[in-house]
């Protein structure tokens, strides 16, 4: 990464640093005043040396960082103007300049407050020892949160005939996924989940912790507003899945929980979510499982291989590898239970027969004239982005193709249609294209139509040995309500304590957040919470980060968005210098790909799996 650099120390007590034509010289006494340093060992002969024709000694280090180190050795003073503190500390540690290292560590501590910046909103500590574990655990289960514990303890997964081999061990202390609904959040660790809720007067409180699970959690879902549940309308429900197994709990108002049941989809679960009272699980293999809170029934339906899905009101929409978009009306679900039929209906078929790899449904606000328009944006395996619309008065004729864009050359992995913008992401290192959407009386319009707005990338390197929970907990977004400005969350490298928050429409950087305790950010999620019940109060948007030590930290994105409106500086994602610093922390040689790969979004994984399943079918 650095320029070609050489460092020479003469045998006559003179040191010279050469970088192109620059030279620095000093005396042996200056170098030797710190005992047991690199220089004292070098000049005393305890370290072998490589000399040139002038008998100068060669040292292969950064000459730019050597200049302030040499000045410190000369004057015992430190000038940090234009100096990268972390780089300088790294070099000072190599040379063994202990007084300089201590001073630089203090500078870093002063620069980074343990209480965070103005955006830091809250801190949920590592769960305590009151977690309810199963009696099956023979060893002390609370060891998983002790600093000296073995990260692999208890990280085994259930044996399954579908597994090709054992999954890599998961650190049981690490937060794998954070999800939310209304004023509740749920954090998934390797073997249990914990639910929290917020009240304006008392703040965030832990209200439920699940029993210890023998298998490693890969997906979670939360429903904080259940109507007509098994224990009344005040129930909450939380679900977790691993491979094909799904476990569902109900949480009463006081925080006590009951296991509703354990269900099987029969195939690996790719998406887990709630639609009203229904818990829905989908798989790329072409299965949909639904559990209904009223009928207490679990139903599995076979459809064609699924490559994307989205929800709209009580409707579940499925994008499939045969180019069709299907829908299931969950309100009619209990009526046909005896017929063993989920009423899967084809809504639209892509004119090019491409797989529907990304799907986004937008319901226009109701009007007294026409009610809701249904607008659907979808992306395909060939990179096409299409928008289809359906007027409520023309339901019988089906949606009509409104607009097509062919700006991507790789499969579209994400798409989002909102009131003001159309945003698409493809698998080429999360390349984003955005358009402004023109509307007339709330409905999408062709005058002047959708116009190009921005093009940028959300570079996000994948974990070397990715577990199923990684793509769930590190989804880049976009996050936010569809009638408001949405955001991407950029985590450049897997092991980092820093995230970049960027506008989904332009890529402009809103802010960057850094963990207040210096721990690795293992997952993240954005939610809007209504903490205040006062009239006129608006929901606030928060970024929740889960960490490797089991804590959860919160950041106030509403304040960041308000501050952005006052800022005239247009900064995108990481600057070139910031990106190089981050990549320097990541060993790219261990990547499974020749080029940096994106964090695996579910639609990317599903698209790959669908191609594999189709090729197997062709061979068979």
């Amino acid at each position: 990464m650095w320029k070609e650099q050489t460092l020479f120390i003469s045998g006559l007590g003179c040191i010279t640093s050469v970088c192109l034509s620059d030279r620095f010289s000093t005396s042996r006494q200056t170098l030797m005043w710190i005992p047991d340093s690199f220089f004292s060992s070098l000049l005393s002969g305890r370290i072998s040396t490589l000399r040139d024709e002038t008998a100068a000694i060669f040292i292969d280090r950064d000459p730019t960082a050597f200049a302030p180190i040499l000045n410190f050795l000369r004057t015992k003073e430190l000038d940090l103007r234009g100096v990268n503190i972390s780089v300088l500390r790294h070099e000072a540690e190599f040379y063994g300049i202990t007084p300089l290292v201590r001073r630089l560590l203090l500078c870093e501590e002063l620069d980074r407050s343990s209480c965070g910046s103005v955006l830091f909103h809250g801190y949920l500590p590592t769960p305590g020892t009151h977690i309810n574990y199963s009696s099956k655990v023979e060893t002390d289960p609370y060891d998983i949160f002790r600093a000296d514990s073995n990260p692999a303890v208890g990280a085994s997964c259930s044996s399954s005939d579908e597994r090709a081999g054992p999954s890599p061990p998961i650190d049981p202390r690490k937060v794998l996924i954070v999800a939310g609904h209304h004023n509740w959040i749920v954090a998934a660790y390797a073997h249990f989940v914990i639910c929290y809720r917020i009240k304006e007067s008392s703040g965030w409180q832990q209200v439920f912790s699940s029993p210890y699970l023998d298998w490693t959690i890969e997906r979670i879902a939360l429903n904080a507003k259940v109507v007509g549940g098994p224990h009344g309308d005040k129930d909450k429900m939380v679900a977790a899945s691993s491979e094909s197994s799904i476990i569902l709990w109900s949480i009463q108002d006081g925080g006590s929980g009951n296991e509703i049941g354990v269900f099987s989809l029969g195939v690996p679960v790719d998406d887990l979510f709630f639609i009203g009272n229904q818990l829905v699980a989908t798989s790329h293999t072409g299965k949909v499982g639904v559990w209904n809170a009223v009928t207490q029934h679990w139903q599995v339906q076979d459809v064609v291989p699924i490559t994307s899905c989205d929800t709209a009101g009580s409707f579940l929409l499925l994008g499939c590898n045969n180019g069709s978009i299907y829908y299931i009306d969950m309100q009619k679900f209990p009526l046909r239970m005896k017929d063993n039929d989920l009423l899967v209906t084809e809504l639209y078929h892509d004119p090019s027969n491409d797989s529907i790899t990304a799907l986004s449904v937008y319901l226009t606000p109701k009007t007294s004239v026409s009610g809701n328009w249904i607008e659907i944006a979808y992306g395909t395996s060939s990179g096409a982005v299409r928008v289809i619309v359906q007027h409520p008065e023309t339901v019988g004729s089906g949606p009509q193709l409104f607009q097509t864009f062919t700006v991507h050359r790789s499969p579209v992995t994400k798409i989002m249609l909102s009131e003001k913008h159309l945003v698409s992401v493809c698998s080429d290192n999360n390349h984003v294209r955005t358009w402004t959407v023109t509307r007339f009386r709330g409905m999408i319009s062709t005058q002047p139509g959708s116009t190009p707005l921005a093009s940028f990338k959300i570079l996000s390197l994948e974990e070397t040995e990715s577990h199923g929970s990684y793509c769930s907990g590190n989804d880049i977004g976009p996050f936010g309500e569809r009638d408001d400005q949405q955001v991407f969350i950029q985590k450049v490298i897997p092991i980092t304590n820093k995230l970049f928050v960027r506008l989904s429409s332009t890529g402009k950087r809103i802010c960057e957040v850094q963990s207040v305790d210096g721990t690795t950010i293992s997952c993240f999620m954005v939610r809007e919470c209504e903490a205040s019940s006062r009239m006129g109060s608006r929901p606030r948007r928060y970024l929740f980060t889960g960490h490797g030590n089991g804590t959860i930290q919160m950041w106030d994105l509403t304040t960041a968005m308000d501050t952005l409106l006052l800022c005239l500086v247009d900064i995108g994602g990481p600057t070139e210098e910031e990106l190089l610093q981050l990549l320097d922390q990541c060993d790219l040689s261990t990547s499974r790909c020749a080029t940096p790969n994106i964090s695996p979004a579910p639609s990317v994984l599903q698209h790959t799996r669908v191609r594999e399943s189709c090729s197997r079918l062709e061979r068979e």
Side-chain angles (χ1 to χ4, degrees):
M1 182 182 299
W2 303 105
K3 301 177 182 177
E4 184 179 353
Q5 41 196 269
T6 54
L7 182 68
F8 293 95
I9 300 178
S10 70
L12 299 176
C14 178
I15 178 170
T16 304
S17 172
V18 182
C19 179
L20 299 179
S21 59
D22 295 337
R23 291 176 177 268
F24 302 93
S25 298
T26 189
S27 65
R28 180 188 293 265
Q29 183 181 2
T30 298
L31 298 175
M32 296 284 286
W33 74 270
I34 296 179
D36 298 324
S37 70
F38 172 85
F39 299 114
S40 60
S41 300
L42 187 72
L43 296 178
S44 64
R46 294 197 299 270
I47 298 178
S48 59
T49 60
L50 177 65
R51 297 176 181 269
D52 69 354
E53 64 278 1
T54 64
I57 302 174
F58 171 74
I59 303 173
D60 189 11
R61 297 299 294 181
D62 175 24
T64 305
F66 178 72
I69 291 176
L70 181 56
N71 286 333
F72 177 80
L73 291 174
R74 285 169 171 163
T75 64
K76 300 178 179 61
E77 295 179 356
L78 184 61
D79 183 3
L80 292 177
R81 288 176 296 181
V83 174
N84 185 308
I85 296 179
S86 60
V87 173
L88 185 59
R89 178 172 60 83
H90 180 72
E91 291 298 299
E93 287 174 345
F94 172 80
Y95 290 122
I97 313 298
T98 305
L100 178 57
V101 171
R102 290 174 178 169
R103 189 173 299 188
L104 291 172
L105 285 172
L106 179 60
C107 291
E108 287 183 327
E109 288 299 324
L110 293 175
D111 184 57
R112 182 182 66 247
S113 170
S114 60
C115 295
S117 66
V118 68
L119 301 181
F120 179 60
H121 178 73
Y123 186 94
L124 297 177
T126 301
T129 57
H130 57 282
I131 296 171
N132 179 23
Y133 284 93
S134 167
S135 58
K136 295 178 183 179
V137 183
E138 297 177 0
T139 58
D140 182 1
Y142 313 123
D143 278 344
I144 66 172
F145 285 112
R146 292 176 181 163
D148 57 349
S149 64
N150 182 356
V153 172
S156 61
C157 300
S158 59
S159 59
S160 171
D161 295 337
E162 297 169 357
R163 294 183 183 274
S167 296
I170 304 297
D171 187 343
R173 298 167 296 182
K174 181 168 64 174
V175 183
L176 300 181
I177 314 170
V178 179
H181 190 224
H182 291 283
N183 289 350
W184 284 57
I185 63 170
V186 55
Y189 297 82
H191 301 289
F192 58 90
V193 300
I194 296 182
C195 293
Y196 302 87
R197 69 179 171 192
I198 186 174
K199 291 186 177 180
E200 184 179 16
S201 57
S202 53
W204 287 95
Q205 295 179 321
Q206 179 178 326
V207 291
F208 171 73
S209 58
S210 75
Y212 185 94
L213 302 177
D214 292 330
W215 33 265
T216 305
I217 296 172
E218 296 178 346
R219 304 281 186 274
I220 55 172
L222 173 69
N223 186 356
K225 283 195 175 182
V226 178
V227 179
H231 300 279
D233 291 350
K234 293 185 178 180
D235 271 13
K236 320 294 178 186
M237 290 194 293
V238 62
S241 71
S242 177
E243 281 292 312
S244 61
S245 299
I246 304 163
I247 186 168
L248 178 64
W249 297 278
S250 67
I251 308 170
Q252 283 75 61
D253 212 27
S256 60
N258 294 313
E259 181 182 307
I260 295 176
V262 179
F263 316 107
S264 175
L265 190 62
V267 291
V269 175
D270 291 312
D271 289 290
L272 189 68
F273 50 90
F274 284 95
I275 299 179
N277 289 0
Q278 282 76 239
L279 173 66
V280 181
T282 66
S283 173
H284 67 277
T285 61
K287 284 186 181 292
V288 178
V290 180
W291 182 88
N292 186 271
V294 177
T295 63
Q296 304 281 297
H297 183 84
W298 172 254
Q299 173 79 20
V300 177
Q301 180 85 25
D302 286 317
V303 293
V304 297
I306 300 169
T307 44
S308 57
C309 62
D310 195 20
T311 62
S314 64
F315 286 87
L316 168 63
L317 282 88
L318 304 172
C320 298
N321 77 330
N322 64 353
S324 291
I325 299 175
Y326 298 91
Y327 73 91
I328 302 173
D329 187 352
M330 292 298 173
Q331 285 185 339
K332 297 180 180 179
F333 175 70
L335 304 179
R336 295 293 299 272
M337 193 63 65
K338 293 181 181 179
D339 299 336
N340 196 35
D341 187 2
L342 289 181
L343 296 178
V344 181
T345 307
E346 185 179 50
L347 179 69
Y348 184 79
H349 189 85
D350 181 71
S352 300
N353 298 317
D354 288 335
S355 298
I356 313 297
T357 54
L359 194 61
S360 174
V361 184
Y362 178 74
L363 295 179
T364 65
K366 289 184 178 179
T367 64
S368 58
V369 178
S370 59
N372 293 97
W373 271 60
I374 301 175
E375 302 171 356
I376 301 174
Y378 70 88
T380 71
S381 56
S382 65
V385 174
R386 303 188 197 275
V387 179
I388 58 177
V389 297
Q390 178 170 305
H391 193 280
E393 297 174 357
T394 60
V395 174
S397 61
Q400 302 298 310
L401 182 60
F402 179 79
Q403 207 159 14
T404 298
F405 303 96
T406 54
V407 295
H408 293 293
R409 299 177 60 190
S410 301
V412 177
T413 58
K414 290 179 170 295
I415 198 162
M416 183 63 71
L417 178 62
S418 62
E419 180 188 17
K420 301 175 182 177
H421 300 105
L422 171 62
V423 180
S424 64
V425 186
C426 80
S427 60
D428 178 17
N429 288 321
N430 285 343
H431 176 226
V432 183
R433 283 297 302 265
T434 68
W435 296 264
T436 56
V437 174
T438 305
R439 295 190 175 276
F440 178 71
R441 293 181 179 176
M443 298 171 286
I444 196 167
S445 172
T446 57
Q447 301 296 327
S450 304
T451 55
L453 178 61
S455 173
F456 53 93
K457 287 188 177 182
I458 307 290
L459 179 66
S460 183
L461 301 185
E462 66 180 3
E463 213 174 38
T464 306
E465 304 226 350
S466 182
H467 183 255
S469 61
Y470 184 79
C471 60
S472 237
N474 291 271
D475 182 11
I476 65 171
F479 298 98
E481 298 300 323
R482 299 192 182 187
D483 58 352
D484 196 6
Q485 184 65 269
Q486 297 172 313
V487 298
F488 282 114
I489 306 298
Q490 184 174 14
K491 180 183 175 185
V492 179
I493 58 177
I495 302 177
T496 182
N497 63 352
K498 181 185 297 186
L499 297 177
F500 297 92
V501 183
R502 302 173 63 178
L503 287 179
S504 65
S505 57
T506 62
K508 183 177 181 179
R509 186 197 299 187
I510 300 171
C511 63
E512 81 176 52
V513 300
Q514 187 169 342
S515 61
V516 295
D517 53 6
T519 54
T520 298
I521 297 175
S522 53
C523 59
F524 51 84
M525 176 266 298
V526 175
R527 287 297 306 174
E528 286 191 350
C529 299
E530 298 177 5
S532 176
S533 58
R534 294 190 299 269
M535 288 186 62
S537 63
R538 60 170 178 164
R540 298 193 69 83
R541 191 182 306 185
Y542 299 105
L543 167 63
F544 297 84
T545 56
H547 295 256
N549 63 346
T551 62
I552 297 175
Q553 299 176 24
M554 304 169 219
W555 312 87
D556 185 355
L557 292 189
T558 298
T559 296
M561 297 283 284
D562 293 343
T563 305
L564 178 70
L565 298 177
L566 306 175
C567 179
L568 300 178
V569 181
D570 188 5
I571 303 176
T575 64
E576 184 178 351
E577 183 181 37
E578 290 170 330
L579 185 59
L580 290 175
Q581 290 175 4
L582 286 167
L583 295 181
D584 194 34
Q585 303 170 24
C586 183
D587 185 5
L588 297 179
S589 63
T590 61
S591 174
R592 288 174 287 171
C593 305
T595 57
N597 205 358
I598 64 170
S599 298
S603 54
V604 178
L605 297 178
Q606 293 166 14
H607 178 62
T608 305
R609 290 167 177 165
V610 167
R611 284 189 299 185
E612 292 174 351
S613 62
C614 290
S615 62
R616 283 198 300 270
L617 289 173
E618 291 174 359
R619 289 196 299 268
E620 293 172 358

